[in-house]
Each structure stands twice: as structure tokens, then as C-alpha cells.
């Protein structure tokens, strides 16, 4: 069963000692910025956001000294769309889904390089280097890629048997599970795992580069993403169950019914592994904090810790990031910022990942911003308490959510009401070019139309027919869902009781889309 009380025995972690903050009435702008993304990081697994059982003392210590943003919401989903928002300041899901940076994008690193700031990316996020998401690393002066996570086409040496803990994983995932097992077959120690290697690489980079006049370091850690495969002591930290009876890589979908249904015992074990992986990430994140302390960089360096999205672990009867409404478990995400000279506090301004682009540039005192990014530096500096009136998030040609902080509307696209298109210079739907594309993929793309469809983009690009995967088999879209902020678990749909709030959010969403100039079919498909 899931262990959520105190853990007995020797604790495998320790918290970093942070410096005392000197009182100052002056605004202190940092010389350096470190942006740390921890993939799939659930807000409700962090003590700063109310958790009382997951042990992450370094994140907790950081939060006690940081500005905590309480209303930070995802934007374009999932992994790579979220990253283009951060890299380029583009709210992309209105025009396309999973894809590369476009030639007209101006990433943070591009602006920093032009100003003579040293830039570095450290990541194990293998999507950067496969079909479907290339070019994100190109602008960094240096990058370090830790190989082997999930479906990364890294190791080809044949497996010498399948470990007992992976038998159910292989039974459910087949070759994709074997890819992962080949990649991790040589792992013998905790330090061999992905998060330890990413955080250790970041700490080593700081050791070697702390004398740079200025730097921008982007650490993109694919953990706590599945597979939830972790070494001891983390594997048993929150459970007494033996791993051989469970699958550390549950398939996305309904966890409460159908062929993918999981027992409560299985869900508790999966949550224990997610929590254990988070504790491992936190342990090695401490090395990055140590490096900052060792070189006295805290007074000169802004540190941002956030994620791309959450991950269902049985909430609302779901696992992973399936075709389902965009409940807060997936979309209400953490954002914590250490900014020199700023007191620790909580902020209620609505912010989104797309705003990190302009905010990091502002912190570095650099001109330029992505077309949809808004710097929340005035909020960070205590000069304002508001930022956005609305947070809008969604999957391309699929489903959206919109919240004004008090009310949230979740709505599906209706595929009967308008055609679905993608708009990009890259031909083809790139999310179809991951692991399966090594064996079969489209190489002929009919019905392409060239033109200038994206507002502000002067380069001709393609409009191409798109298929909305998660609505393909639905006769009708799901009903609208309306929640009040007081309903933290989003359990009570108030659509019927509060039609005025529904209409108000519809009008706000329509105005937002009009301001961005999104394609007309999006208005039709969303019944706007």
C-alpha cells in the first residue's frame, strides 16, 4: 500500500542550506538566469502546494525562499508544444501541434547569444533529437544530451533477458518497453539514472562556467516522466509492495474502467513510484543548489523551477495524458522563482509557460519577445499583482480549457463543424514521426496549400489537413464542464446552474482568439 507517513531508517537525501537574503529597497537584477524544467511535475506532490507526505526537502527549501505563483497554468500541450511556448513565446496550439522550432522563431538563447551571454542546454529530453521536434538545441552555445530515456533510439545490443520488475511493462508495451530496457541494461547505481545524470551535469557545468561574465543555463529534466523505473531506496520509499507484481509504465487512458482499468492497489503503487522518482530528482537537484552556493552565485542568479504539464495518476479515473478533459491535475502547474533581492511570498497573478520567454529576456535585460509572451517581471518584482485576465490551454484541434481564476470552462472541439488544419513550414504531422516512424510513416503529403496563414509571419508556409486523434472515434464531443475555483478537485460540473459564467468565459475566449488571429475553423469547431 502507499506509505504517506514518516519514513523510518536512514534518509537518502539532505537539504541544501540557502543563503540569507539581504534586505534591500533597491531592485536587484540578476546577471544570470537558470531555468529548470522538471517534466510532468504534479503540483499536488509538492509541499509548497499543500502536499504533506512526499519528501523533497531541496524543493521545499527553495520554495521557502522563492516567489511562489499560485495560478500558473499550462498552455499548448503536451511536451514539445509546451517547449516551443517557452523557447519562442508562441501560443502554438491554435495553428499546429507537436513540431520543431520554426525558422522565424527567436528563442531565448538566440537573443542571449547576440548580447554575449553564454548559453547552455542540459537535457535528457530525447524528443529534441528525434523526428518531430528537432532544432530546439541549435541556438545554444553548448548543449549536453543525456541519452536513453523512454523511446530514445540509443542502444541496440540484444537484451539478455527481461528483469522481473519489467515483465508486465513488456507485456503491455512490447518493443517500446524493450527499447527502454536496452537503454538502461547497464545501470548499476543510482548515479546511472537519468535525473541524477542531468542534475550532476548541470552542477559540473556551473563549476566550470561560474566565472563567465553572464550565463543562461536551461536544464530540462525528462523525469519525473514515466517509465516510473527507479532504484532503491526510492522504489520502496513510499510502498512495501514488491515491484514484480506491477507495471511501472501504465498505458494512457481510463484507469477506472475498460481494458486499461487499474486496481486501487496498482494505483497506489504507481503513485509511490512517481513520488519516489520526485524524491530522487530532488536529491540530485541539491547538487545544482550546492554548486550555486559553492561559487556564491545566488545573489547574482535568478532560478526558475517549473514544468510543462502534470500527469494523471488515477485522478478523474485517468492515467497519463489521455484524450480527456483538461482538468487541473494536468493543467494547474507549479512555478517558483528565486529572484535576488525579492522577499519570499505567494503571488496570485495568472501566468502561463508562454510568458517565461519574455520574463527570462526581461531578467537578462534583453530586448525582444515572442509574439504571444508577456513578461511577469513586474509581478516578480512586487510592482504589480495582476498579469493575465485569462489562461487558455489545449491540444491542437482537440480540446481546450479556459480559466479566469474563478471559473474554468473545459470544452472539446466538434469535428463536424469545421476542418482541422496544421500550419507550419514543416510538412507532415510530426507527432507521427516518433518511435513508430522508424518503421512506417507517410512520405507523400497531398492537399498542401502554401500561403501566409499565421499572423505576423511573412514567410510562406503550409496549410495541411489534420486529424484530431482523440476525437476520431467520438460520435459527439463530451459535454462542457464548468467548475468554480473553490472546487479544488473539479468534481462538480456547474454548467447548468451558471449559464451566465459559461457565456462570460465563451466571450473571453472568443476575444482572446480574435486578438491572436487564430484560424476561423477554430471558432467553428469550438462553437464560438
Amino acid at each position: 500500500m502507499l506509505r504517506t507517513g514518516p519514513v523510518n531508517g536512514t534518509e537518502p537525501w539532505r537539504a541544501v542550506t540557502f543563503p540569507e537574503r539581504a534586505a534591500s529597497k533597491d531592485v536587484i537584477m540578476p546577471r544570470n538566469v537558470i531555468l529548470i524544467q522538471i517534466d510532468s511535475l504534479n503540483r499536488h506532490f509538492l509541499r509548497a502546494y499543500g502536499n504533506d507526505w512526499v519528501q523533497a526537502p531541496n524543493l521545499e527549501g527553495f520554495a521557502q525562499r522563492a516567489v511562489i505563483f499560485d495560478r500558473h497554468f499550462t498552455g499548448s500541450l503536451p511536451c514539445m508544444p509546451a517547449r516551443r511556448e517557452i523557447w519562442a513565446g508562441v501560443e502554438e496550439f491554435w495553428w499546429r501541434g507537436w513540431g520543431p522550432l520554426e525558422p522565424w522563431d527567436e528563442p531565448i538563447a538566440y537573443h542571449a547569444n547576440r548580447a554575449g551571454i553564454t548559453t547552455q542546454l542540459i537535457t535528457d529530453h530525447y524528443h529534441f533529437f528525434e523526428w518531430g521536434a528537432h532544432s530546439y538545441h541549435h541556438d545554444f552555445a553548448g548543449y549536453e544530451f543525456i541519452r536513453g530515456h523512454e523511446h530514445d533510439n540509443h542502444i541496440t545490443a540484444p537484451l539478455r533477458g527481461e528483469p522481473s520488475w519489467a515483465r508486465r511493462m513488456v507485456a503491455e508495451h512490447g518493443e517500446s518497453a524493450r527499447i527502454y530496457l536496452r537503454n538502461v541494461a547497464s545501470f548499476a547505481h543510482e548515479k546511472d539514472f537519468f535525473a541524477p545524470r542531468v542534475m550532476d551535469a548541470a552542477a559540473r557545468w556551473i563549476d566550470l562556467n561560474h566565472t563567465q561574465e553572464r550565463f543562461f543555463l536551461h536544464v530540462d529534466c525528462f523525469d519525473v516522466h514515466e517509465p516510473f523505473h527507479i532504484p532503491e531506496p526510492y522504489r520502496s520509499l513510499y510502498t512495501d509492495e514488491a515491484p514484480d507484481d506491477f507495471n511501472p509504465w501504465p498505458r494512457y487512458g481510463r484507469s477506472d474502467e475498460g481494458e486499461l482499468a487499474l486496481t486501487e492497489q496498482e494505483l497506489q503503487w504507481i503513485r509511490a513510484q512517481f513520488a519516489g522518482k520526485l524524491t530522487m530528482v530532488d536529491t540530485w537537484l541539491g547538487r545544482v543548489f550546492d554548486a550555486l552556493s559553492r561559487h556564491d552565485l545566488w545573489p547574482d542568479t535568478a532560478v526558475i523551477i517549473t514544468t510543462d504539464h502534470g500527469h494523471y495518476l488515477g485522478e478523474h479515473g485517468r492515467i497519463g495524458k489521455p484524450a480527456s478533459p483538461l482538468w487541473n491535475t494536468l493543467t494547474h502547474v507549479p512555478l517558483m522563482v528565486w529572484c535576488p533581492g525579492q522577499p519570499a511570498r505567494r503571488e496570485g497573478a495568472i501566468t502561463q509557460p508562454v510568458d517565461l520567454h519574455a520574463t527570462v529576456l526581461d531578467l537578462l535585460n534583453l530586448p525582444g519577445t515572442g509574439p504571444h509572451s508577456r513578461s511577469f517581471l513586474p509581478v516578480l518584482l512586487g510592482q504589480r499583482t495582476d498579469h493575465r485576465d485569462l489562461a487558455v490551454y489545449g491540444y491542437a484541434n482537440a480540446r481546450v480549457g479556459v480559466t479566469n481564476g474563478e471559473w474554468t470552462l473545459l470544452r472539446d472541439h466538434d469535428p463536424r463543424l469545421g476542418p482541422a488544419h496544421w500550419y507550419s513550414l514543416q510538412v507532415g504531422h510530426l507527432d507521427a514521426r516518433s518511435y513508430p516512424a522508424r518503421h512506417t510513416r507517410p512520405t507523400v503529403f497531398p492537399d498542401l496549400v502554401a500561403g501566409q496563414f499565421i499572423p505576423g509571419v511573412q514567410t510562406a508556409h503550409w496549410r495541411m489537413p489534420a486529424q484530431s486523434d482523440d476525437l476520431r472515434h467520438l460520435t459527439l464531443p463530451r459535454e462542457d464542464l464548468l467548475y468554480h475555483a473553490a472546487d479544488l478537485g473539479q468534481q462538480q460540473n456547474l454548467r447548468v446552474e451558471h449559464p451566465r459564467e459559461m457565456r462570460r468565459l465563451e466571450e473571453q475566449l472568443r476575444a482572446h482568439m480574435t486578438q491572436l488571429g487564430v484560424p476561423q475553423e477554430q471558432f467553428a469547431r469550438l462553437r464560438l
Side-chain angles (χ1 to χ4, degrees):
M1 63 181 295
L2 184 66
R3 184 193 295 120
T4 60
V7 179
N8 296 323
T10 302
E11 295 182 345
W13 59 83
R14 48 85 181 104
V16 168
T17 300
F18 287 82
E20 294 299 322
R21 189 191 307 273
S24 174
K25 295 182 180 180
D26 299 324
V27 173
I28 301 174
M29 296 302 292
R31 290 190 303 113
N32 316 306
V33 174
I34 299 177
L35 174 55
I36 300 175
Q37 290 172 241
I38 301 173
D39 199 291
S40 305
L41 178 58
N42 277 345
R43 184 180 190 269
H44 58 289
F45 273 63
L46 297 177
R47 192 171 296 271
Y49 293 100
N51 185 280
D52 62 359
W53 62 274
V54 177
Q55 315 229 14
N58 289 310
L59 283 167
E60 181 182 353
F62 181 87
Q64 290 173 354
R65 295 156 178 82
V67 180
I68 299 172
F69 287 79
D70 283 319
R71 296 201 291 183
H72 187 62
F73 294 89
T74 53
S76 299
L77 294 162
C79 302
M80 297 317 301
R83 280 159 179 79
R84 184 169 177 236
E85 290 206 336
I86 296 171
W87 259 250
V90 175
E91 190 175 313
E92 79 163 16
F93 76 94
W94 299 114
W95 291 275
R96 63 164 227 199
W98 192 289
L101 289 177
E102 300 284 1
W104 51 82
D105 289 339
E106 295 185 356
I108 297 169
Y110 169 78
H111 288 284
N113 293 338
R114 289 158 62 89
I117 298 171
T118 302
T119 58
Q120 176 78 12
L121 171 67
I122 296 173
T123 186
D124 61 339
H125 197 108
Y126 73 101
H127 293 308
F128 287 134
F129 297 84
E130 65 170 355
W131 269 112
H134 55 274
S135 74
Y136 285 81
H137 57 292
H138 289 168
D139 281 304
F140 288 89
Y143 62 86
E144 184 168 349
F145 182 28
I146 284 82
R147 297 294 306 274
H149 215 311
E150 203 187 34
H151 298 135
D152 186 14
N153 53 341
H154 183 37
I155 302 296
T156 59
L159 284 171
R160 298 182 179 180
E162 296 167 357
S164 58
W165 62 264
R167 287 171 186 159
R168 284 194 58 184
M169 183 177 78
V170 173
E172 294 193 27
H173 285 278
E175 178 59 18
S176 60
R178 295 186 188 95
I179 291 171
Y180 179 79
L181 289 176
R182 287 196 292 269
N183 289 343
V184 302
S186 64
F187 287 12
H189 306 284
E190 178 182 334
K191 63 182 177 62
D192 299 326
F193 282 72
F194 298 106
R197 289 159 65 192
V198 168
M199 297 304 177
D200 185 61
R204 285 188 285 103
W205 188 89
I206 292 171
D207 284 338
L208 294 172
N209 288 272
H210 68 278
T211 58
Q212 299 279 5
E213 183 176 352
R214 302 187 72 194
F215 65 76
F216 169 57
L217 171 62
H218 196 151
V219 182
D220 194 338
C221 182
F222 200 46
D223 282 342
V224 290
H225 197 287
E226 74 276 13
F228 303 130
H229 167 223
I230 47 178
E232 295 292 2
Y234 308 104
R235 187 166 64 186
S236 301
L237 197 57
Y238 302 99
T239 181
D240 297 318
E241 302 275 11
D244 294 3
D245 297 330
F246 301 96
N247 173 19
W249 195 350
R251 288 187 290 166
Y252 289 5
R254 295 294 296 257
S255 62
D256 57 351
E257 64 181 32
E259 64 173 343
L260 301 182
L262 299 170
T263 67
E264 185 59 31
Q265 181 186 28
E266 289 174 310
L267 286 172
Q268 288 186 358
W269 186 84
I270 291 165
R271 291 170 190 144
Q273 301 313 294
F274 183 95
K277 182 170 266 199
L278 176 54
T279 299
M280 182 176 72
V281 171
D282 182 83
T283 298
W284 289 79
L285 176 63
R287 297 202 174 199
V288 179
F289 292 168
D290 276 340
L292 290 170
S293 297
R294 186 160 52 247
H295 303 294
D296 194 26
L297 288 173
W298 290 104
D300 299 315
T301 305
V303 181
I304 302 168
I305 296 179
T306 190
T307 188
D308 48 358
H309 50 68
H311 191 96
Y312 293 114
L313 297 168
E315 300 88 351
H316 296 279
R318 266 68 172 186
I319 282 285
K321 304 183 289 287
S324 63
L326 299 174
W327 287 294
N328 275 348
T329 305
L330 187 70
T331 60
H332 194 186
V333 292
L335 172 64
M336 303 182 290
V337 184
W338 162 276
C339 187
Q342 288 305 305
R345 64 189 189 276
R346 306 191 81 96
E347 289 287 351
I350 296 174
T351 56
Q352 296 200 258
V354 71
D355 297 327
L356 288 168
H357 181 269
T359 304
V360 171
L361 290 178
D362 252 5
L363 284 166
L364 293 171
N365 195 27
L366 296 179
T369 183
H372 309 135
S373 187
R374 307 177 190 176
S375 173
F376 55 78
L377 182 62
V379 177
L380 187 60
L381 297 180
Q383 298 166 349
R384 295 189 58 167
T385 58
D386 61 332
H387 183 59
R388 287 181 175 267
D389 296 328
L390 204 67
V392 180
Y393 38 89
Y395 284 80
N397 296 302
R399 52 206 186 277
V400 301
V402 54
T403 182
N404 57 20
E406 182 181 8
W407 292 92
T408 298
L409 169 64
L410 306 183
R411 172 169 289 181
D412 276 340
H413 278 240
D414 189 336
R416 302 164 303 174
L417 300 180
H421 293 108
W422 282 26
Y423 301 84
S424 173
L425 194 63
Q426 173 69 51
V427 172
H429 295 186
L430 300 185
D431 57 352
R433 294 190 166 200
S434 183
Y435 152 63
R438 298 170 200 164
H439 305 280
T440 178
R441 66 173 179 263
T443 55
V444 177
F445 304 96
D447 303 321
L448 298 178
V449 178
Q452 295 178 354
F453 306 105
I454 303 173
V457 175
Q458 303 304 313
T459 303
H461 45 275
W462 298 107
R463 181 179 69 194
M464 61 199 87
Q467 175 64 58
S468 179
D469 292 336
D470 59 351
L471 294 181
R472 183 180 300 172
H473 304 297
L474 292 180
T475 305
L476 293 172
R478 288 171 286 255
E479 68 172 352
D480 288 337
L481 301 174
L482 180 72
Y483 300 106
H484 189 267
D487 179 11
L488 298 179
Q490 295 186 316
Q491 299 295 323
Q492 186 176 6
N493 182 10
L494 300 176
R495 172 179 59 88
V496 175
E497 293 87 341
H498 292 275
R500 181 180 300 177
E501 298 302 335
M502 282 275 296
R503 290 194 297 271
R504 184 157 68 105
L505 283 170
E506 285 179 332
E507 288 300 321
Q508 288 180 293
L509 178 58
R510 184 184 292 111
H512 178 79
M513 294 167 63
T514 301
Q515 182 182 21
L516 266 59
V518 306
Q520 284 302 306
E521 69 258 24
Q522 300 290 350
F523 290 87
R525 290 169 62 88
L526 288 170
R527 307 192 307 280
L528 295 173

